Amino acid sequence: MLRHLAILAAATLTAAAPVPAQSDSYTPTPENAAARHWFADARFGVFLHWGLYSQLAGGGDKDIAEWIMENKKISAAHYERLAQFFNPIHFDADAWVRTVKESGARYIVITAKHHDGFAMFASTTSPYNVTTTPFRRDPIAELAAACRRGGIKLFFYYSQLDWHHPDYFPRGRTGNHTGRPQAGDWERYLRYQDAQLTELLTRYGPIGGIWFDGWWDQQKTPMRDRWQLQRTYALIHRLQPGALIVNNHHIAPFPGEDYQAFERDLPGENTNGYNGSVVSTLPLEMAETMNGSWGFNMVDDGFKSPATLIATLAGAAGRGTNLLLNTGPMPDGRLQPENVDTLKAIGGWLRINGASIYGTRAGPVTPQPWGVTTQSGNRIFVHLLRDPGATLTLPVRNVRAARLLDGGTPVRFRRAATGIELQGLARPATAVDQVIALDIAG
Ligand code: JFZ
């Protein structure tokens, strides 16, 4: 940061032309700009947390899943044993993709490597990868092929933080109970990371992008720019210019990042204390769990209802944000049946109401107690997430027609001083999200 300020100051003294701020210095390629547009249009993705930890299923603790190595202070040597048992005999990539398609989601983000450091893909950088387990197959390759067949874009979650690699040193906030020697070559770790990313970007066809996590582990250690993000991001954009980069660091995006991630909160909200208030002008995405857990947890039955999650999806769309909805596949390779049911229910709603979500941007009315608006061309969608009463005044002009999106029943309206007043509204108490489509003059 100080270095950037120094460069800016020096540049200001010598150059007459305005100096772009550091955050503007990255110009996306045309492929990348097109991918961002595709991404914002997609509006709904499925997040998959799957790894060695899935086998432990939280160990009976509702609050533990993919963090079990850290939470239970398991040494790297002991945790490695899990690789000897990994054999998800029911894994069927096409079945996963079918479920994702039935949910209406347009993309998948899967954990290629989580904090435990285990590569779920065939990596030649280290034997600590899925092909050295009894399973021997490369589930990432199978999923990439199934996604290609199914027209689903595939993104890779990649943890910069690593609880296993000895060269992840100096250690950060976590990973301090793994029994690794207090020594390591940080530059060698970065080379390992870049080598794995190169594999992910060259062996699985065109991918949607890389979803980084774990940056924050080094946040409180003295060398804050230890990550050399620009070097890693440049590598990715060079290998696949259309691949999008996102980093779950919970602060304002760095140059090179193509969209901004929010964790279990809508942009601008911060109920979990994870997200700062900065909402950038990049495309936005909010990741959310179906129960309380990212990785499979056998005792967490606190499943959010389809209605709740559809409201989250619409609420996100009304804020110009994608929903990335998580499910943690089970150790046998199947998706959790409860989650499959929920995904199908969301898909059922989207088949009828998808026009109010896909391809939309945030609508002209900011989020309200009754719901949100989205817009696509000359159509504005009013999402009634709660009963607004019989009439609703909206600051929208030039309305030609108003109809329920589901069924097309006309909705009465009259011009009001500030826009229009919708009349005779009767949102059924059982409605999840009653959508009214307004046609406006072009
Ligand atoms: C991260 C991961 O740690 C988690 O396992 C999961 O993959 C999720 C999607 O992303 O979650 C975080 C990241 C940062 C903080 C908390 C949880 N943080 O800074 O407090």
Side-chain angles (χ1 to χ4, degrees), residues 249-398:
H249 47 47
H250 301 169
I251 58 175
F254 291 107
E257 294 172 13
D258 300 302
Y259 67 92
Q260 186 179 3
F262 294 84
E263 192 175 323
R264 290 198 261 200
D265 260 320
L266 291 164
E269 292 182 345
N270 192 11
T271 57
N272 290 307
Y274 289 158
N275 303 300
S277 53
V278 186
V279 180
S280 74
T281 55
L282 295 176
L284 309 171
E285 176 186 67
M286 169 208 183
E288 179 59 292
T289 51
M290 286 222 214
N291 49 10
S293 182
W294 300 102
F296 174 62
N297 183 299
M298 65 185 170
V299 298
D300 186 350
D301 295 330
F303 301 113
K304 290 159 195 143
S305 68
T308 295
L309 293 169
I310 289 164
T312 303
L313 175 65
R319 292 165 175 83
T321 302
N322 289 15
L323 174 63
L324 179 61
L325 183 58
N326 182 77
T327 178
M330 300 188 291
D332 68 355
R334 290 179 304 135
L335 299 178
Q336 207 178 340
E338 296 89 341
N339 292 356
V340 171
D341 291 346
T342 299
L343 288 169
K344 286 182 180 168
I346 296 170
W349 182 85
L350 274 168
R351 267 190 292 283
I352 295 164
N353 297 284
S356 69
I357 302 289
Y358 301 123
T360 65
R361 298 296 181 268
V365 184
T366 56
Q368 300 293 319
W370 48 260
V372 297
T373 59
T374 54
Q375 181 162 5
S376 169
N378 293 335
R379 289 200 116 183
I380 292 168
F381 300 96
V382 182
H383 297 258
L384 301 182
L385 298 170
R386 275 171 290 279
D387 189 0
T391 61
L392 177 62
T393 305
L394 297 171
V396 178
R397 292 181 191 285
N398 301 320

Side-chain angles (χ1 to χ4, degrees), residues 113 158-162 165 167-169 185-194 227 231:
K113 185 193 90 167
Y158 189 89
S159 174
Q160 299 177 280
L161 158 61
D162 196 307
H165 202 293
D167 285 323
Y168 186 87
F169 184 87
D185 179 343
W186 181 258
E187 171 57 30
R188 199 157 60 197
Y189 177 71
L190 289 184
R191 283 203 300 274
Y192 167 82
Q193 182 182 259
D194 286 352
W227 286 118
R231 152 180 158 185

Side-chain angles (χ1 to χ4, degrees), residues 49 66-67 114-115 157 173 213 216 248 250 263 274:
H49 275 72
E66 75 285 353
W67 273 65
H114 205 268
H115 307 333
Y157 171 110
R173 210 163 77 189
D213 197 7
W216 41 265
N248 189 34
H250 301 169
E263 192 175 323
Y274 289 158

